[in-house]
């Protein structure tokens, strides 16, 4: 049996796409790209901004998503962004409008994590090996 990584994609639901996009671009120092509206032929409004990715590398990519009728925050799924040193990205959270929930802490042999909340009320994690 072939073993595969369990996560193939993630979505972070937002109420204000411009605000959320600016937040994540600021924290992670990346540019998010506009994805085509998958519901363009219906009256439902969906906006998506994808995180940069390389399908040949370990891990999953995903997108910020605005969808009519689906509110941000209050969910129970936590996305961890990979970092060189999570304290660097953690240091950008509050200046970008978010909140630090848990400062950098050791998780033993698995490295370090920081937890924060974005401008939409979504909790997210940062992970690094140093």
């Amino acid at each position: 049996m072939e073993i595969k990584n369990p996560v193939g994609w993630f979505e972070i639901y937002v109420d204000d796409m411009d605000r959320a996009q600016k937040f994540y671009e600021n924290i992670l120092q990346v540019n998010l790209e506009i994805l085509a509206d998958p519901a363009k032929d219906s009256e439902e409004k969906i906006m998506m901004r994808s995180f940069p990715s390389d399908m040949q590398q370990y891990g999953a990519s995903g997108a910020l998503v605005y969808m009519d009728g689906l509110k941000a925050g209050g969910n129970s799924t936590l996305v961890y962004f990979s970092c060189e040193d999570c304290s660097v990205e953690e240091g950008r959270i509050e200046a970008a409008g978010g909140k630090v929930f848990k400062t950098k802490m050791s998780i033993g042999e698995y490295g370090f994590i920081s937890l924060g909340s974005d401008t939409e009320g979504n909790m997210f994690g940062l992970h690094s090996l140093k």
Side-chain angles (χ1 to χ4, degrees), residues 18-113:
D18 291 336
R19 177 178 64 198
Q21 181 175 352
K22 184 177 177 182
F23 177 83
Y24 283 103
E25 286 180 339
N26 230 329
I27 298 302
L28 302 173
Q29 301 289 289
V30 297
N31 292 314
L32 277 63
E33 295 182 23
I34 295 172
L35 291 179
D37 181 352
K40 65 182 174 200
D41 296 329
S42 74
E43 291 188 24
E44 185 174 33
K45 182 178 182 181
I46 299 177
M47 288 187 291
M48 299 178 79
R49 302 292 184 271
S50 69
F51 289 87
S53 65
D54 178 349
M55 299 306 280
Q56 304 304 311
Q57 296 293 319
Y58 172 79
S61 188
L64 299 179
V65 178
Y66 170 86
M67 184 182 301
D68 284 338
L70 189 58
K71 299 295 289 172
N75 54 26
S76 62
T77 301
L78 193 58
V79 173
Y80 280 86
F81 292 99
S82 298
C83 310
E84 177 101 9
D85 179 346
C86 62
S87 65
V88 173
E89 288 78 2
E90 175 190 306
R92 298 180 188 132
I93 292 173
E94 291 183 356
K99 294 182 179 145
V100 174
F101 179 76
K102 179 73 81 176
T103 59
K104 182 178 177 179
M105 61 181 268
S106 173
I107 54 171
E109 66 183 285
Y110 303 106
F112 300 87
I113 62 168

